[in-house]
Amino acid sequence: MSSATLPSSAGETESPGVADPPLSREVHSSTPIVEELESGLFFVCQSQAMREIRSMVDLVAQTNLPVLILGETGTGKEVIVRLIHCLSLRRNRPLFKVNCAALPSELLESELFGYEAGAFTGANKANSGKFDAAHRGTILLDEIAEMPIEPQAKLLQVLQDGEYCRLGSAKPIRVDVRVLAATNVDIGRAIKANKFREDLYYRLNAFSILVPPLRDRREDIPILIYHFMKDQSARLGCEPLPISAELLKACLRYPWPGNVRELENFVKRFLIVRNEQKAIAQLRPESYGGAFSSGNSCNSFSMKATDLKSLVRGLKQQAERQAIIGALELVHGNRKDAARILNISSRALIYKMRQYSISWKTTDDHAEPAA
C-alpha cells in the first residue's frame, strides 16, 4: 500500500512510498491524507471525523475481530473495508465480497457455505463456498442487514465456532476467516422486526465503525474534488478542469444525498460536459429537490400495486429513466458520453433506453429527443 499527503491547496501529490508492512502515520491535522490502497482505490480525507476513523482502523486492522461498518449509501464503507484488509495480517490473502441482498436465501446459503452433490435439483457435483475459498483470508458481507433470516444461523456458527456444514451435509468444516460486514440499514429496526438475529448482531459488532455522511464532514469536499478531478481526467483521457471559487462554494452548499459516490459522479459529468455554469446549475435546490418529490413520484408510475416491492420497483424505474434522460441532455445525446456519466456500458444504456421507451433521433454521435 502506498500513501501520500497533499498540501491544503490543490497540487500534485508527493511520490508515494511503499510500506511493507503498512504502518500507521502521524499526519498534521491541516494536511489532507491520500493513501492508495490498491490500483485506483484511495482513502482520501481532511476532516477530523475521518482522521479518527483512520486511527480506529489502525487499532483494529491487525486483530482478527469481526468489524461492522455502518453508514449511508455512498459514504465509502467499502474503502474502509479495503483499508482494514490492507493493514491486516491477512493482507496477502484474498478478500472476498458477497452482497447479501442480491441473492435469495437458498442461493445465498450455497454461495457462502457451498453444497454437496444432490443437495438440491441441479447440484450434480459438490461445490465449495466463499467461506472455504476465503480460508485464512477475509470476507466482506455487504448489506448484511438484508441477509435472509435462514443463513444467519450458519453465519453465527462460523463466528462462534469457526465451523459450518455445507448444504446437504452434516460434516463440519473448520475455517479461519476474518469477517467484515457493512450495511446502510438501521440494524436495530431490523432486529425489532425479527429480520435480523440479535445474537448475530452482537457477534458482528465486536468492533464497529460509523462512516459519517458527506454533509457532516464538508471539510473533505475540496480535497475529494481535487482527487476525483485528477483521477477521472486520467481515466477519461482529458485535461483536468480548474475549480473556481464559485463552483467550490456551490459544492460546499449542496447536501450530497448520494455522498462521496455522488460527488465522484458529479466531477465525472463536469469533465465530460466541460461547462462550469451547467455544473453549478445541477447543484441548485430546484435541480435536485423536485425530481424525487413525493408529488412527482406518485404520478410517474402506477399506484395500483400497493405492496412495498412494487412501489420500490416503480420508484427505481422512474429514477433510472430520469437519470438516463438527464445524462443524454447533458451531453447533447452523445450515447458514449452518457454511458460514461452513468457508469454503465453503451450496450447497457441502449438496452435501458429501449426498456423505458426513451427515443432519440440520432445523427452521427449526437442525438435529439424524437418527436
Side-chain angles (χ1 to χ4, degrees), residues 149-315:
I149 199 73
E150 292 82 3
Q152 291 182 28
K154 277 194 175 181
L155 177 57
L156 180 63
Q157 184 184 11
V158 174
L159 292 169
Q160 286 178 334
D161 307 323
E163 63 181 33
Y164 65 92
C165 297
R166 287 181 181 174
L167 205 62
S169 172
K171 182 182 177 181
I173 298 173
R174 292 202 62 80
V175 287
D176 173 18
V177 177
R178 187 186 194 172
V179 176
L180 305 177
T183 184
N184 58 10
V185 171
D186 186 334
I187 293 188
R189 289 185 180 181
I191 291 171
K192 288 180 180 178
N194 295 319
K195 292 183 177 179
F196 199 82
R197 294 179 61 123
E198 189 171 10
D199 50 1
L200 176 57
Y201 167 71
Y202 288 121
R203 281 285 175 180
L204 288 170
N205 198 33
F207 196 98
S208 63
I209 295 175
L210 175 61
V211 185
L214 190 55
R215 63 183 174 274
D216 291 344
R217 48 183 173 106
R218 293 180 187 271
E219 312 96 295
D220 288 335
I221 291 175
I223 187 61
L224 285 168
I225 291 174
Y226 292 129
H227 169 72
F228 290 142
M229 180 62 69
K230 180 179 179 180
D231 180 63
Q232 291 299 328
S233 61
R235 289 173 185 264
L236 295 171
C238 61
E239 287 296 316
L241 294 169
I243 307 298
S244 71
E246 184 184 6
L247 178 59
L248 184 57
K249 187 176 180 181
C251 289
L252 289 169
R253 281 198 308 258
Y254 183 71
W256 301 107
N259 293 293
V260 178
R261 186 181 298 127
E262 184 184 4
L263 177 60
E264 182 177 16
N265 287 334
F266 169 78
V267 173
K268 193 186 300 184
R269 289 194 300 270
F270 180 35
L271 280 165
I272 292 171
V273 177
R274 307 189 79 79
N275 185 308
E276 183 177 287
Q277 289 309 309
K278 285 186 177 180
I280 291 172
Q282 293 176 50
L283 303 178
R284 291 178 183 140
E286 60 269 22
S287 297
Y288 65 82
F292 299 100
S293 68
S294 58
N296 285 347
S297 62
C298 288
N299 293 327
S300 299
F301 67 97
S302 174
M303 293 296 289
K304 292 179 181 178
T306 56
D307 63 287
L308 183 59
K309 285 186 178 180
S310 296
L311 294 176
V312 170
R313 191 181 304 115
L315 286 169

Side-chain angles (χ1 to χ4, degrees), residues 68-109:
L68 181 62
I69 299 108
L70 307 167
E72 294 179 8
T73 297
T75 49
K77 296 185 292 298
E78 189 168 346
V79 173
I80 303 301
V81 167
R82 299 282 175 177
L83 180 60
I84 292 171
H85 181 66
C86 287
L87 291 168
S88 76
L89 300 174
R90 300 170 186 253
R91 60 186 170 274
N92 295 321
R93 302 293 299 175
L95 167 63
F96 288 92
K97 175 183 174 181
V98 178
N99 188 320
C100 298
L103 297 170
S105 178
E106 299 80 6
L107 289 178
L108 180 61
E109 187 171 349

